[in-house]
Amino acid sequence: GAVVSQHPSRVICKSGTSVKIECRSLDFQATTMFWYRQFPKQSLMLMATSNEGSKATYEQGVEKDKFLINHASLTLSTLTVTSAHPEDSSFYICSARKRVDEKLFFGSGTQLSVL
Amino acid sequence: GENVEQHPSTLSVQEGDSAVIKCTYSDSASNYFPWYKQELGKRPQLIIDIRSNVGEKKDQRIAVTLNKTAKHFSLHITETQPEDSAVYFCAASRPSSASKIIFGSGTRLSIRP
C-alpha cells in the first residue's frame, strides 16, 4: 500500500504560539510533498509544494514566513505555523506523491484551533 | 494558470441509480487525472485515475472517461449504494512526480434510500 502519516491530528494553541505538523510517507519515498488547507465543505487549497533538499514553492497569497516548510528527507516534510492567530484555524492536510507512478496519497489531516 | 472546473457541486440520486460528475481542465499539458473520495472528517482517498493515453477506465461500479480534445473527463458510478455518499474531487496534473495536482471544487454526492 501507500501510507502517509500526519501528526498531530488535532491541536489547540494560544494565539502567538507556533505549531509544527509532521507528514511522513511510511512505505515509499516521496521527493515531492504538498500541503493543503481545507475549509469546511470546501475544496483543497494548495498552499505549497515541498521538495526534498530544496526550498518549498509557495502558492500565490501564502506567506512563506508564516508557514515554514521543511522537507528534510525523502519521507518527512514538516509545516510550522508561526505566531498562529485565530484566522489560521483550519484543517491542514499533507500529501505525498510517489515517484514511481505519480499517484498522490493524503495524510489524515490536522485540525488546528487557535484561541 | 491551471484550472479545473467541476460540476455539479451537489448531486442527489436514488439508491441503485447512476451518478455522473464532470470536470474540465485548462492546461493542455495535463496527462494524469485522478479522482478522490472524501468522507466526512476523513482524508481524501484515491478511487480511480486515468492517463491521457487511455479514453476510458473501469473498476467495478466506477468508471472514468477522458476526452483530451475537449479537455473533459467524467466519473460514472453505477448501482449507487449508501456508502457512496461523500464528496468527490477530480484533479489534473502534468507529467512528473514533481508537478502539482490541481483539484476541482468538489461534488457532494448524496444517495437517497
Side-chain angles (χ1 to χ4, degrees):
Chain A
V3 180
V4 178
S5 171
Q6 184 173 344
H7 293 283
S9 58
R10 187 178 297 273
V11 59
I12 301 172
C13 69
K14 292 182 179 179
S15 187
T17 60
S18 295
V19 174
K20 180 185 278 190
I21 303 170
E22 287 192 353
C23 181
R24 293 179 185 272
S25 56
L26 298 185
D27 52 0
F28 66 96
Q29 291 184 338
T31 52
T32 306
M33 291 185 173
F34 304 91
W35 288 94
Y36 298 85
R37 191 169 174 176
Q38 188 174 34
F39 293 101
K41 297 186 179 181
Q42 293 192 25
S43 188
L44 299 148
M45 185 190 81
L46 180 64
M47 298 174 65
T49 301
S50 170
N51 299 295
E52 186 267 335
S54 64
K55 291 183 178 179
T57 303
Y58 290 81
E59 295 299 302
Q60 192 173 10
V62 178
E63 299 176 56
K64 62 179 181 179
D65 295 329
K66 172 78 172 176
F67 299 99
L68 299 179
I69 290 172
N70 184 276
H71 196 147
S73 74
L74 287 172
T75 60
L76 173 65
S77 177
T78 61
L79 167 68
T80 300
V81 183
T82 62
S83 187
H85 290 284
E87 56 266 30
D88 298 323
S89 298
S90 188
F91 188 66
Y92 293 87
I93 190 164
C94 70
S95 65
R97 195 161 188 188
K98 291 178 71 175
R99 179 164 37 180
V100 62
D101 59 9
E102 301 174 14
K103 293 180 187 286
L104 187 73
F105 296 92
F106 284 87
S108 52
T110 298
Q111 184 64 51
L112 172 63
S113 300
V114 185
L115 304 177
Chain B
E2 312 95 331
N3 186 46
V4 176
E5 292 193 359
Q6 183 172 347
H7 300 281
S9 56
T10 59
L11 179 61
S12 177
V13 301
Q14 192 75 35
E15 183 178 350
D17 288 351
S18 296
V20 180
I21 302 171
K22 299 183 179 181
C23 290
T24 59
Y25 60 99
S26 61
D27 185 357
S28 56
S30 297
N31 78 330
Y32 176 63
F33 308 91
W35 286 86
Y36 288 83
K37 174 184 180 182
Q38 187 177 27
E39 297 177 77
L40 191 63
K42 296 189 176 180
R43 75 185 80 192
Q45 296 275 12
L46 178 66
I47 56 172
I48 194 167
D49 55 11
I50 191 168
R51 297 182 189 274
S52 58
N53 58 344
V54 175
E56 184 174 353
K57 185 176 178 181
K58 190 174 182 181
D59 182 4
Q60 300 183 337
R61 296 187 297 110
I62 294 174
V64 58
T65 59
L66 171 66
N67 182 329
K68 276 214 78 178
T69 304
K71 291 191 269 187
H72 289 172
F73 58 115
S74 300
L75 178 71
H76 305 252
I77 305 174
T78 59
E79 300 172 25
T80 53
Q81 300 170 3
E83 54 265 36
D84 295 329
S85 294
V87 178
Y88 291 80
F89 294 99
C90 64
S93 170
R94 289 186 169 194
S96 108
S97 59
S99 298
K100 57 187 178 184
I101 294 182
I102 307 298
F103 284 85
S105 53
T107 296
R108 185 171 299 277
L109 175 64
S110 301
I111 307 302
R112 303 192 303 271

